[in-house]
Amino acid sequence: MRRALALAARGRGFVSPNPMVGAVVVRDGNIIGEGWHHQFGGDHAEVDAIRHAGEFARGAELYVNLEPCSHHGKTPPCTDLIIRSGIKKVLIGMPDPNPLVNGQGIAVLKQHGIVVQTGILESECKKLNEVFIKFITSHKPFVVFKYAMTLDGKIATVNNASRWITGEESRKIVHRLRSGLSSVLVGVNTVVYDDPLLNVRLIGRKRKSPIKIIADSSLRIPLDAQALVNDPQLCLVATTEKADKNKVIEIRRRGSQVLICPEKENRVDLPYLFSALGRMDIDGILLEGGSTLAFSALQDGLVDKVVAFIAPKMLGGASAPTPVGGAGIGAMENAMNLFTMRVRKIGADLMIEGYLK
């Protein structure tokens, strides 16, 4: 199952909004076939693995981290192939939470005399597909709030200079985070001050950059911003009725999308925006700032996971920006706590991961 999980992870950033799935065919204690879901719309992991095993699959065991599908989607049901191949036992990491499957694949296999065992490394399987699990059960994107700060809690200097707080190793991890989620979200101030590309810059296998989403209630985004003009990946600007109608037309003319959202406290209504993104099949969001946008998302209970990088530097400055701004919380007992935390040293930096729900 660990091998199946490792194979499944190769699909990160390529299979969304489908889950990452790996499969291993074992006969007499030896691996005779393995595969994974390579890209959205392509063959499922079970098909890939059984094809590699060929006729030796008959009488063998199949390990797969997610319950095989039993319905017609973009591809035929995997259960049909498993039955035809003569696999005698299927070991499954976790049931598929997709309502179209949700135990039906297991039931079909058992009905055809195949031995099924479930719950193999189930917690690891759930963590791998945490984005898929939330999206398929709620139709809302899984939100990761990422930031990098100095030891004294600053994300930039008093002059808004922010390159670079963390080291190269940490920045590579950020690009892997981007490549694994279908969208990246920033506020307009981040665009005005930093003019980020918001793409993926990794050496090796060509990766799809995330959809760029800019929250900009008054449509202050410069028309020459790199996020709009320097990358073929789609950019969506979320604004409100306050936006200049001529500028909306101009942004759309240049190939980006504009989504008019309701206002909430004079800003883009984030719950509305995130629900709309879910309806667009955007299953994951990497929230990268700024501080006011971050507090709004946290306050509205929209953030699922936090990934923080802390660099061994200090900047000082009462006016230097911090990762989370906004109105703030008045009482310590109302603080938003992280759970299931993990701390790692990345080069000279610390990386902290934790969940809010």
Side-chain angles (χ1 to χ4, degrees):
M1 189 59 72
R2 292 193 197 283
R3 178 60 180 163
L5 286 166
L7 291 166
R10 295 183 183 182
R12 190 185 302 277
F14 298 96
V15 301
S16 170
N18 280 354
M20 292 174 278
V21 184
V24 178
V25 182
V26 175
R27 187 187 184 102
D28 299 327
N30 298 307
I31 292 176
I32 60 170
E34 57 183 29
W36 71 95
H37 187 29
H38 290 247
Q39 62 185 22
F40 179 72
D43 287 341
H44 288 190
E46 300 93 322
V47 176
D48 198 22
I50 292 172
R51 181 171 60 241
H52 284 122
E55 62 184 23
F56 298 104
R58 185 163 301 278
E61 298 177 345
L62 173 68
Y63 289 78
V64 60
N65 61 293
L66 188 72
E67 175 186 2
C69 65
S70 57
H71 66 289
H72 283 270
K74 288 186 175 293
T75 59
C78 290
T79 51
D80 287 359
L81 176 63
I82 293 170
I83 293 163
R84 290 199 310 271
S85 71
I87 293 281
K88 68 175 184 179
K89 184 176 182 179
V90 179
L91 299 98
I92 297 169
M94 62 170 286
D96 190 339
N98 185 342
L100 294 175
V101 186
N102 198 20
Q104 295 180 45
I106 293 171
V108 168
L109 294 175
K110 288 181 175 179
Q111 288 167 8
H112 285 81
I114 296 173
V115 177
V116 178
Q117 185 176 344
T118 60
I120 315 296
L121 298 182
E122 186 165 4
S123 61
E124 289 94 328
C125 294
K126 287 182 176 179
K127 181 172 175 55
L128 177 73
N129 276 311
E130 59 191 6
V131 173
F132 169 75
I133 292 169
K134 180 184 178 183
F135 181 70
I136 203 67
T137 55
S138 69
H139 304 294
K140 294 179 181 178
F142 186 92
V143 181
V144 179
F145 172 37
K146 184 279 302 178
Y147 62 88
M149 71 178 189
T150 60
L151 198 57
D152 57 341
K154 309 297 184 181
I155 61 172
T157 69
V158 291
N159 297 320
N160 285 303
S162 60
R163 297 177 183 174
W164 297 102
I165 287 176
T166 54
E168 186 177 350
E169 296 96 329
S170 295
R171 298 200 297 274
K172 283 182 180 177
I173 289 177
V174 170
H175 281 280
R176 287 200 289 270
L177 275 171
R178 282 184 186 172
S179 71
L181 292 166
S182 54
S183 69
V184 56
L185 168 65
V186 297
V188 68
N189 284 338
T190 298
V191 176
V192 170
Y193 290 123
D194 296 340
D195 195 19
L197 280 167
L198 301 177
N199 61 1
V200 172
R201 301 183 292 278
L202 290 172
I203 298 172
R205 185 182 179 189
K206 184 174 177 58
R207 296 171 184 267
K208 182 179 70 174
S209 289
I211 295 171
K212 298 166 290 188
I213 304 167
I214 317 295
D216 183 1
S217 61
S218 300
L219 212 56
R220 294 189 293 115
I221 187 170
L223 291 175
D224 62 351
Q226 292 193 97
L228 287 179
V229 301
N230 281 352
D231 197 306
Q233 188 67 14
L234 176 67
C235 181
L236 183 150
V237 182
T239 188
T240 68
E241 293 290 350
K242 294 186 294 188
D244 182 291
K245 301 300 185 290
N246 291 326
K247 196 169 183 180
V248 169
I249 293 170
E250 181 60 24
I251 290 173
R252 286 173 172 162
R253 188 185 70 79
R254 294 177 181 223
S256 295
Q257 291 191 10
V258 179
L259 177 65
I260 307 297
C261 302
E263 284 187 44
K264 185 176 181 181
E265 298 176 356
N266 295 317
R267 301 183 184 278
V268 170
D269 185 324
L270 291 183
Y272 175 91
L273 171 61
F274 286 19
S275 293
L277 295 174
R279 291 192 293 274
M280 297 176 194
D281 271 351
I282 294 175
D283 61 348
I285 299 172
L286 183 62
L287 172 57
E288 293 205 28
S291 63
T292 302
L293 177 67
F295 181 75
S296 296
L298 289 163
Q299 188 179 41
D300 287 334
L302 300 172
V303 176
D304 298 284
K305 185 176 183 179
V306 175
V307 178
F309 296 88
I310 303 174
K313 303 174 182 177
M314 289 185 282
L315 291 172
S319 62
T322 58
V324 183
I329 293 172
M332 188 60 70
E333 57 267 26
N334 295 328
M336 292 171 267
N337 296 308
L338 291 185
F339 302 93
T340 320
M341 285 179 54
R342 181 187 181 197
V343 181
R344 287 190 286 163
K345 193 170 185 294
I346 309 294
D349 308 320
L350 286 181
M351 176 181 174
I352 301 175
E353 299 175 87
Y355 295 85
L356 282 164
K357 300 177 186 175

